[in-house]
Amino acid sequence: IELQSYENEFLPNALRQFFAKLDAPEDRNEYLSILIENFSKRFHQCNQNLGLSIGWFQKILFIFVFR
């Protein structure tokens, strides 16, 4: 994850790129939660200029994935 650059990427597109490079889990379990947490940290690192907290990214991603 740390090798990926999501700078200036639209969040849904970056998430698609992320899951295109690995096998997404079939079940919504702890492994998926860990993937989302790690992706959101990396996305935040690449886009700190947006002025949004990492917690905001995590909440939005959990809505995308779990709804």
Side-chain angles (χ1 to χ4, degrees), residues 6 9-12 14-15 36-65:
Y6 300 111
E9 288 283 337
F10 184 53
L11 181 59
L15 191 60
I36 296 301
E37 282 182 41
N38 290 333
F39 171 80
S40 63
K41 288 176 187 174
R42 182 62 185 152
F43 189 85
H44 179 260
Q45 287 174 344
C46 293
N47 293 287
Q48 291 182 12
N49 60 322
L50 296 176
L52 301 170
S53 71
I54 192 166
W56 184 90
F57 287 114
Q58 288 177 343
K59 288 176 188 174
I60 293 300
L61 288 171
F62 276 97
I63 291 170
F64 281 161
V65 173

Side-chain angles (χ1 to χ4, degrees), residues 10-25:
F10 184 53
L11 181 59
N13 292 342
L15 191 60
R16 284 186 201 100
Q17 289 175 17
F18 173 70
F19 280 115
K21 294 183 180 183
L22 51 95
D23 293 326

